[in-house]
Short mmCIF file of all heavy atoms in Angstrom, two decimals:
data_model
loop_
_atom_site.label_atom_id
_atom_site.label_comp_id
_atom_site.label_asym_id
_atom_site.label_seq_id
_atom_site.Cartn_x
_atom_site.Cartn_y
_atom_site.Cartn_z
N ILE P 374 -5.97 52.39 21.27
CA ILE P 374 -6.89 51.69 20.37
C ILE P 374 -6.36 51.77 18.94
O ILE P 374 -5.43 52.50 18.64
CB ILE P 374 -8.34 52.20 20.48
CG1 ILE P 374 -8.49 53.59 19.90
CG2 ILE P 374 -8.84 52.16 21.90
CD1 ILE P 374 -9.96 53.98 19.79
N ARG P 375 -6.99 50.97 18.09
CA ARG P 375 -6.49 50.83 16.73
C ARG P 375 -7.54 51.39 15.76
O ARG P 375 -8.73 51.17 15.95
CB ARG P 375 -6.31 49.33 16.45
CG ARG P 375 -5.30 49.05 15.41
CD ARG P 375 -4.90 47.59 15.44
NE ARG P 375 -4.09 47.25 16.59
CZ ARG P 375 -3.96 46.03 17.10
NH1 ARG P 375 -4.64 45.03 16.56
NH2 ARG P 375 -3.19 45.80 18.12
N VAL P 376 -7.10 52.12 14.78
CA VAL P 376 -8.02 52.66 13.78
C VAL P 376 -7.57 52.17 12.42
O VAL P 376 -6.43 52.38 12.03
CB VAL P 376 -8.02 54.21 13.81
CG1 VAL P 376 -8.85 54.76 12.67
CG2 VAL P 376 -8.54 54.73 15.14
N ALA P 377 -8.46 51.48 11.72
CA ALA P 377 -8.06 50.88 10.45
C ALA P 377 -8.82 51.46 9.26
O ALA P 377 -8.46 51.22 8.13
CB ALA P 377 -8.26 49.37 10.50
N GLU P 378 -9.87 52.23 9.49
CA GLU P 378 -10.72 52.65 8.37
C GLU P 378 -10.10 53.79 7.57
O GLU P 378 -9.41 54.65 8.13
CB GLU P 378 -12.12 53.02 8.87
CG GLU P 378 -12.11 53.89 10.10
CD GLU P 378 -13.47 54.50 10.41
OE1 GLU P 378 -14.45 54.18 9.72
OE2 GLU P 378 -13.54 55.32 11.32
N PRO P 379 -10.35 53.80 6.24
CA PRO P 379 -9.82 54.88 5.40
C PRO P 379 -10.38 56.25 5.80
O PRO P 379 -9.76 57.27 5.50
CB PRO P 379 -10.31 54.50 3.99
CG PRO P 379 -10.66 53.07 4.06
CD PRO P 379 -11.05 52.77 5.46
N ALA P 380 -11.50 56.26 6.50
CA ALA P 380 -12.07 57.53 6.95
C ALA P 380 -11.11 58.31 7.84
O ALA P 380 -11.26 59.52 8.04
CB ALA P 380 -13.38 57.28 7.69
N ALA P 381 -10.11 57.61 8.37
CA ALA P 381 -9.15 58.26 9.26
C ALA P 381 -8.10 59.07 8.49
O ALA P 381 -7.37 59.87 9.08
CB ALA P 381 -8.45 57.21 10.13
N ASP P 382 -8.03 58.86 7.17
CA ASP P 382 -6.97 59.48 6.37
C ASP P 382 -6.83 60.98 6.61
O ASP P 382 -5.73 61.48 6.87
CB ASP P 382 -7.25 59.27 4.87
CG ASP P 382 -7.07 57.83 4.43
OD1 ASP P 382 -6.63 57.01 5.26
OD2 ASP P 382 -7.37 57.54 3.26
N LEU P 383 -7.96 61.68 6.49
CA LEU P 383 -7.91 63.14 6.53
C LEU P 383 -7.37 63.64 7.87
O LEU P 383 -6.49 64.50 7.92
CB LEU P 383 -9.29 63.75 6.25
CG LEU P 383 -9.35 65.27 6.27
CD1 LEU P 383 -8.37 65.88 5.27
CD2 LEU P 383 -10.77 65.77 5.98
N ALA P 384 -7.89 63.07 8.98
CA ALA P 384 -7.43 63.51 10.30
C ALA P 384 -5.94 63.20 10.48
O ALA P 384 -5.19 63.99 11.05
CB ALA P 384 -8.26 62.85 11.40
N LEU P 385 -5.51 62.07 9.94
CA LEU P 385 -4.11 61.69 10.08
C LEU P 385 -3.19 62.65 9.31
O LEU P 385 -2.19 63.13 9.85
CB LEU P 385 -3.91 60.24 9.61
CG LEU P 385 -2.50 59.69 9.66
CD1 LEU P 385 -1.89 59.81 11.06
CD2 LEU P 385 -2.46 58.23 9.22
N VAL P 386 -3.54 62.95 8.06
CA VAL P 386 -2.67 63.87 7.31
C VAL P 386 -2.73 65.28 7.89
O VAL P 386 -1.73 66.00 7.88
CB VAL P 386 -2.99 63.91 5.78
CG1 VAL P 386 -2.49 62.67 5.10
CG2 VAL P 386 -4.44 64.12 5.50
N LEU P 387 -3.88 65.66 8.44
CA LEU P 387 -3.96 66.97 9.08
C LEU P 387 -3.02 67.04 10.28
O LEU P 387 -2.34 68.05 10.49
CB LEU P 387 -5.38 67.25 9.57
CG LEU P 387 -6.36 67.91 8.62
CD1 LEU P 387 -7.60 68.32 9.38
CD2 LEU P 387 -5.72 69.12 7.94
N ALA P 388 -3.00 65.97 11.07
CA ALA P 388 -2.12 65.94 12.24
C ALA P 388 -0.67 66.08 11.79
O ALA P 388 0.11 66.83 12.38
CB ALA P 388 -2.32 64.65 13.04
N VAL P 389 -0.31 65.37 10.71
CA VAL P 389 1.07 65.44 10.21
C VAL P 389 1.37 66.84 9.66
O VAL P 389 2.41 67.44 9.99
CB VAL P 389 1.32 64.36 9.12
CG1 VAL P 389 2.71 64.53 8.52
CG2 VAL P 389 1.16 62.96 9.69
N ALA P 390 0.45 67.37 8.86
CA ALA P 390 0.67 68.70 8.28
C ALA P 390 0.76 69.75 9.38
O ALA P 390 1.60 70.66 9.33
CB ALA P 390 -0.47 69.04 7.31
N SER P 391 -0.08 69.60 10.39
CA SER P 391 -0.07 70.53 11.53
C SER P 391 1.27 70.46 12.26
O SER P 391 1.84 71.48 12.66
CB SER P 391 -1.24 70.19 12.45
OG SER P 391 -1.03 70.65 13.75
#
Side-chain angles (χ1 to χ4, degrees):
I374 70 170
R375 206 165 288 158
V376 173
E378 45 167 5
D382 290 355
L383 180 57
L385 179 55
V386 286
L387 271 190
V389 175
S391 157

